[in-house]
């Protein structure tokens, strides 16, 4: 369980992107995160007729795995809000503007975990604080271990995760266009992490 | 052709003309609308798509009526008929390929399935064809309208000349009544498109 939990925690850091090769930077417990493997996406509904999916392609973070006390594992991720993409004409400019992410004043979004708990061997709950536009709100997300396999050549263990969550954009002060853009924003993140096998 | 059918065909002609002018004008407005008025932009796009689909349906009905009546049309009219089908088809393909995945809702309530997978590259290939075909259709329609107006003017001036000549010949014969302008026959007009 500890090995799996360590994997989960490692992925949780990577949920905002991919691990930089998933190699520990030091002492096998601290990992630097970036977007090279993995995605951070969000989806909103439009008048109940269709939905749009956007992405944050630039982020970086730090994952600290405590193998003795896995519940104390920490994740801190910073996302470049100005890099947001969405496939509408002028959509990214709209989202960067003062009605939404207001990237001129708040270019970075942050997530910092406060607790990680196992629900079952493949599902985990991540609780933390999300900061958007300078507003901090608690956020709970569900993590699922989709696949896990050992790589005998490198002696590492690879795991694919998805993390999902839901937030209310109005709770962060993003109240514009309530008819056309739903208040409920679905988060969907994927990543693959590679860790030294834990025995 | 029966009179009610001729009237119906005339109505179809003018509805088509009005719709292509409105749809063409709306295209410039909807693309210029900023994303800050997303709902209005969405409604404008759906109105444009509805107009395009309606124009294509009207063109199909008119072609069928034309085929049934056995009427002959000139090359300009034939090209216009083709464009009335091609421009909406290209518009539909543009909408289907648009990366936003925005649905096509006829009259805002009937979803029209998209046959293409949305993608920026495909969208950028198809969109200019739709744009230039629409500009071509408008140019042809303007040419067609100008030609018809000219035909009318020429016909009217010939009729006036005949009328004036009838009056002047009558003036030379005192006591006889001039022919009534009401019985003056206009030149035969072709069926409108």
């Amino acid at each position: 369980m500890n090995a799996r939990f360590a994997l989960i925690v490692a992925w949780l850091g990577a949920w905002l992107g991919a691990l930089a090769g998933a190699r520990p930077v030091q002492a096998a417990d601290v990992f630097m995160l970036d977007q090279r493997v993995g995605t951070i996406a969000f989806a909103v509904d439009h008048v109940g007729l269709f939905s749009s999916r956007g992405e944050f392609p630039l982020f970086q973070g730090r994952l600290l795995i405590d193998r003795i006390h896995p519940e104390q594992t920490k994740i801190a991720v910073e996302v470049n809000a100005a890099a947001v993409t969405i496939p509408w004409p002028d959509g990214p400019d709209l989202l960067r503007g003062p009605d939404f992410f207001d990237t001129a004043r708040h270019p970075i979004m942050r997530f910092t975990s406060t607790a990680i708990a196992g629900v079952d061997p493949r599902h985990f709950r991540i609780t933390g604080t999300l900061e958007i536009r300078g507003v901090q709100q608690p956020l709970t997300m569900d993590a699922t271990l989709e696949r896990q396999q050992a790589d005998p050549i490198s002696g590492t263990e690879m795991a694919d995760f998805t993390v999902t969550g839901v937030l209310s954009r109005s709770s962060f002060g993003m109240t514009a266009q309530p008819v056309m853009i739903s208040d409920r924003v679905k988060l969907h993140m994927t990543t693959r992490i590679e860790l030294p096998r834990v025995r | 052709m029966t009179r009610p059918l001729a009237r119906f065909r005339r109505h179809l002609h003018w509805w088509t003309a009005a719709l292509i002018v409105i749809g063409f004008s709306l295209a410039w407005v909807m693309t210029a609308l900023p994303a800050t008025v997303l709902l209005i932009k969405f409604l404008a796009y759906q109105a444009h798509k509805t107009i395009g689909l309606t124009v294509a349906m009207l063109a199909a009905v008119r072609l069928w009526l034309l085929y049934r009546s056995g009427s002959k049309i000139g090359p300009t009219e034939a090209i216009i008929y083709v464009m009335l089908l091609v421009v909406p088809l290209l518009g539909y393909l543009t909408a289907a390929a648009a990366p936003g995945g925005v649905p096509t809702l006829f009259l805002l309530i009937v979803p029209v399935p998209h046959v293409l997978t949305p993608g920026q590259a495909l969208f950028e290939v198809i969109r200019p064809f739709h744009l230039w075909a629409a500009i071509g259709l408008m140019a042809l329609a303007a040419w067609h309208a100008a030609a018809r107006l000219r035909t009318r003017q020429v016909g009217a001036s010939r009729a006036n000349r005949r009328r004036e000549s009838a009056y002047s010949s009558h003036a030379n014969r005192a006591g006889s009544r001039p022919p009534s302008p009401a019985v003056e026959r206009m030149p035969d007009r072709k069926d409108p498109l």
Side-chain angles (χ1 to χ4, degrees):
Chain A
M1 181 62 192
N2 265 1
R4 176 164 289 160
F5 195 77
L7 275 171
I8 297 300
V9 168
W11 167 78
L12 294 177
W15 60 264
L16 292 181
L19 289 174
R23 298 283 179 190
V25 173
Q26 59 179 17
D29 284 327
V30 179
F31 296 83
M32 301 310 291
L33 313 176
D34 68 27
Q35 65 282 346
R36 278 177 279 181
V37 181
T39 58
I40 303 175
F42 63 94
V44 288
D45 285 338
H46 303 295
V47 287
L49 295 172
F50 66 107
S51 62
S52 292
R53 183 178 186 275
E55 286 194 19
F56 294 101
L58 293 178
F59 50 87
Q60 60 181 10
R62 184 179 168 92
L63 168 65
L64 176 64
I65 300 176
D66 187 330
R67 298 188 186 200
I68 299 169
H69 304 289
E71 71 281 359
Q72 291 180 9
T73 291
K74 300 289 183 191
I75 302 165
V77 179
E78 292 191 341
V79 178
N80 184 341
V84 64
T85 66
I86 197 157
W88 317 326
D90 306 328
D93 287 339
L94 175 73
L95 296 182
R96 282 191 282 265
D99 288 344
F100 289 90
F101 293 111
D102 194 10
T103 58
R105 296 199 308 153
H106 305 285
I108 301 295
M109 303 188 304
R110 294 180 179 83
F111 177 80
T112 308
S113 69
T114 52
I116 298 174
V119 176
D120 63 44
R122 301 188 76 83
H123 296 94
F124 304 86
R125 186 151 294 148
I126 308 162
T127 304
T129 302
L130 179 63
E131 181 186 321
I132 302 175
R133 291 165 55 100
V135 178
Q136 292 188 347
Q137 293 286 342
L139 177 67
T140 299
M141 295 182 289
D142 295 314
T144 303
L145 174 59
E146 304 286 356
R147 248 166 266 104
Q148 184 179 1
Q149 60 187 22
D151 181 351
I153 297 172
S154 63
T156 58
E157 193 130 26
M158 301 187 47
D160 293 327
F161 291 91
T162 60
V163 178
T164 56
V166 175
L167 61 84
S168 158
R169 68 183 176 100
S170 60
S171 65
F172 293 92
M174 296 186 281
T175 55
Q177 308 213 31
V179 177
M180 195 60 198
I181 303 175
S182 63
D183 182 49
R184 184 182 153 93
V185 180
K186 295 178 201 162
L187 303 173
H188 186 269
M189 290 147 280
T190 63
T191 196
R192 165 172 288 185
I193 63 167
E194 183 183 346
L195 289 174
R197 219 176 288 175
V198 182
R199 298 177 190 283
Chain B
M1 191 188 312
T2 62
R3 192 170 293 174
L5 186 57
R7 190 181 304 133
F8 178 59
R9 285 181 60 181
R10 257 197 314 277
H11 285 169
L12 289 182
H13 168 264
W14 288 112
W15 272 110
T16 304
L19 286 174
I20 63 171
V21 170
I22 295 169
F24 189 76
S25 309
L26 191 56
W28 300 102
V29 174
M30 72 188 193
T31 49
L33 282 172
T36 48
V37 289
L38 206 53
L39 180 61
I40 295 171
K41 197 174 176 83
F42 170 75
L43 292 174
Y45 269 83
Q46 294 304 327
H48 178 78
K49 292 173 183 181
T50 296
I51 287 170
L53 290 169
T54 307
V55 165
M57 286 187 277
L58 290 181
V61 170
R62 293 173 64 202
L63 277 171
W64 179 68
L65 291 174
L66 195 67
Y67 171 75
R68 269 193 47 166
S69 70
S71 305
K72 295 273 188 266
I73 55 171
T76 308
E77 287 88 345
I79 295 171
I80 289 176
Y81 269 113
V82 171
M83 298 295 271
L84 288 174
L85 294 171
V86 167
V87 173
L89 175 66
L90 287 170
Y92 163 76
L93 294 175
T94 305
V102 179
T104 296
L105 300 168
F106 182 67
L107 296 172
L108 264 184
I109 48 174
V110 182
V112 179
H114 284 172
V115 293
L116 298 177
T117 305
Q120 188 68 33
L122 184 60
F123 173 72
E124 284 174 6
V125 168
I126 298 174
R127 191 170 177 270
F129 283 98
H130 176 50
L131 171 67
W132 287 106
I135 290 172
L137 172 60
M138 289 304 292
L140 277 170
W143 174 269
H144 166 72
R148 282 301 161 97
L149 277 175
R150 173 116 181 103
T151 307
R152 276 194 163 210
Q153 281 176 347
V154 169
S157 59
R158 277 182 190 157
N160 282 340
R161 275 201 300 275
R162 277 202 297 272
R163 199 177 296 120
E164 282 164 10
S165 130
Y167 271 105
S168 45
S169 63
H170 163 72
N172 295 334
R173 288 181 280 130
S176 63
R177 292 181 59 193
S180 165
V183 290
E184 186 78 29
R185 286 180 60 82
M186 293 287 286
D188 286 342
R189 286 193 304 158
K190 286 182 187 172
D191 281 332
L193 266 180

